Amino acid sequence: MKVLLTGGLGFIGSHTCVELLNDGYDVVVIDNLSNSKMTMIDKIKEITKKDFSFYNIDYRDRNALEEVFEKEKVEAVINFAGFKAVGESVKEPLMYYDNNVCGAICLLETMKKYNVKKFVFSSSATVYGNPDVVPITEEAKIGRATNPYGTTKLVIEYILDDLYKSDNTWDIVVLRYFNPIGAHESGLIGEEPNGIPNNLMPYVTRVAKGVLEKLSVFGNDYNTHDGTGVRDYIHVVDLAKGHIKAIEKLDKENKGFFVYNLGTGKGYSVLDIVNAFKEENNVDVPYVIAPRRPGDIDSCYSDPTKAKNELGFVARRTLKDMVRDSWNYQLKN
Ligand code: WQD
């Protein structure tokens, strides 16, 4: 089966590319390199000893996208492309709606034109907003994203729901990621955000390496076991394997619209992460308690039962694996 990955050189995309190649899939990657590097191509090939097609295009460029569909007999698409920095989305909402939403529409229209209707969408737990109840199931209310980034994910989910209702020959799986961290055990690929990291783990690894002076812990007065924010951190390799399960489902069954949380079902606080990182890697991570970050919520973690029952997906990697692999990547890059 030939799978097209948009944004396939990014953090999640590159790890999923590795897992697909390892499992014998043919892979086509498009990426506009706005938040990734060409060097990722050789690293993926080094890890898998497999080849794949790459096109340096923007998925909003309809002509370029159609050329790829003309040339490559794509059978399914995983859409990773999109901007994903929460803070940036608050400052540049139009840039986020254009890239994430208009891009997705351009992609889906092109898929429809070429009669490619197996689609996996990279969504996010942010669509749940500040949950009334944790752990969060897929039946929890959505529609209260706390920032434009999260709203772009929400809008695309609505688009996919309407698309399926208009034409039930589509086969769609929406994956709501919780907090992806870690890196491939080789240390060749990992999280490489542009500029100063917004997310916790890449910030921690840079403080540990001395690239950044100290970590600001955004608030310690949340309603959690130690006052710092709690999230459901999932190893990026587990997350990538969740996509393989989604593709297997699309390959086996036909026609449907499915939504799954991809998380571990465990919540860890900021200080749990920092302490685990320091202990496992025997390295210091200086930090200060700072004011809360606007838009942050107290606690968010998944109920992963549905993905286990329907996809056969269970996240296997532990918190130790996550902090060790994150540090290993930072040391090697
Ligand atoms: C985690 C915790 C912060 C940085 C967002 C998106 C989500 C996904 C991941 C793209 C929170 C605290 C963080 C720091 C800190 N995005 N923190 N100091 O906000 O849960 O989720 O990023 O894939 O869709 O919504 O992740 O890593 O930013 O924050 O104390 O310097 O770490 O307050 O409690 P978040 P995060």
Side-chain angles (χ1 to χ4, degrees):
M1 187 185 201
K2 182 175 279 193
V3 185
L4 168 67
L5 308 186
T6 69
L9 296 187
F11 178 40
I12 319 289
S14 57
H15 285 84
T16 304
C17 186
V18 164
E19 297 305 322
L20 283 166
L21 290 170
N22 285 342
D23 279 10
Y25 289 90
D26 292 323
V27 175
V28 177
V29 169
I30 64 171
D31 202 305
N32 70 354
L33 303 176
S34 63
N35 194 19
S36 56
K37 299 181 179 72
M38 287 281 278
T39 50
M40 192 59 74
I41 296 170
D42 291 338
K43 291 176 177 179
I44 292 169
K45 290 180 180 176
E46 184 178 341
I47 292 169
T48 60
K49 311 291 183 240
K50 299 268 181 73
D51 199 355
F52 63 95
S53 309
F54 170 70
Y55 299 85
N56 177 2
I57 65 164
D58 188 309
Y59 73 151
R60 291 168 291 182
D61 179 343
R62 200 178 296 266
N63 293 333
L65 199 53
E66 290 193 7
E67 278 177 34
V68 174
F69 275 79
E70 287 288 349
K71 191 167 171 224
E72 306 277 356
K73 293 295 161 262
V74 171
E75 295 163 86
V77 176
I78 307 179
N79 184 28
F80 293 107
F83 296 142
K84 63 170 189 173
V86 170
E88 184 186 51
S89 80
V90 174
K91 298 191 193 87
E92 300 287 350
L94 292 180
M95 186 175 90
Y96 271 68
Y97 283 104
D98 181 45
N99 187 26
N100 295 10
V101 180
C102 297
I105 291 170
C106 179
L107 175 63
L108 290 163
E109 286 180 331
T110 306
M111 288 176 68
K112 184 177 174 187
K113 179 171 180 176
Y114 289 87
N115 198 32
V116 177
K117 296 189 171 176
K118 295 179 185 293
F119 187 68
V120 178
F121 175 54
S122 158
S123 189
S124 167
T126 35
V127 301
Y128 295 117
N130 198 346
D132 300 328
V133 175
V134 283
I136 306 173
T137 71
E138 289 83 352
E139 283 62 51
K141 213 172 352 175
I142 63 172
R144 296 173 297 166
T146 55
N147 55 73
Y149 156 78
T151 307
T152 65
K153 294 297 185 181
L154 197 59
V155 167
I156 297 166
E157 286 201 22
Y158 290 148
I159 290 170
L160 294 172
D161 189 30
D162 288 338
L163 176 62
Y164 179 68
K165 284 174 182 151
S166 75
D167 172 359
N168 65 11
T169 65
W170 281 83
D171 209 0
I172 296 168
V173 173
V174 170
L175 299 176
R176 291 176 181 160
Y177 303 166
F178 280 71
N179 286 60
I181 62 172
H184 188 267
E185 60 189 11
S186 64
L188 286 171
I189 59 176
E191 189 167 13
E192 198 65 73
N194 290 339
I196 302 288
N198 297 287
N199 292 139
L200 176 65
M201 186 52 84
Y203 206 103
V204 166
T205 58
R206 283 161 178 74
V207 168
K209 196 167 181 191
V211 171
L212 294 170
E213 185 200 349
K214 63 184 179 304
L215 170 72
S216 296
V217 174
F218 296 143
N220 67 346
D221 57 352
Y222 284 106
N223 180 22
T224 63
H225 62 276
D226 63 11
T228 64
V230 167
R231 298 291 184 274
D232 182 334
Y233 296 94
I234 177 170
H235 196 293
V236 64
V237 173
D238 277 331
L239 192 71
K241 290 179 180 294
H243 289 75
I244 305 298
K245 293 291 187 183
I247 287 290
E248 286 171 355
K249 181 181 181 69
L250 292 178
D251 200 11
K252 259 201 311 276
E253 299 165 35
N254 278 302
K255 326 286 178 274
F257 180 83
F258 309 92
V259 179
Y260 300 104
N261 290 335
L262 288 190
T264 64
K266 290 189 215 65
Y268 290 111
S269 74
V270 177
L271 292 182
D272 289 335
I273 296 291
V274 171
N275 292 331
F277 188 96
K278 289 163 69 171
E279 193 175 321
E280 179 66 17
N281 298 316
N282 193 23
V283 65
D284 192 18
V285 179
Y287 67 84
V288 292
I289 302 297
R292 289 184 175 197
R293 180 172 64 175
D296 271 355
I297 60 178
D298 299 64
S299 181
C300 172
Y301 56 93
S302 69
D303 176 338
T305 309
K306 190 180 175 195
K308 180 180 180 183
N309 292 345
E310 295 186 18
L311 291 183
F313 172 74
V314 177
R316 300 268 178 230
R317 285 155 185 80
T318 64
L319 177 59
K320 282 189 175 188
D321 297 328
M322 295 183 221
V323 296
R324 184 189 62 244
D325 292 341
S326 292
W327 182 229
N328 182 46
Y329 175 74
Q330 182 69 66
L331 286 177
K332 292 183 175 172
N333 296 273

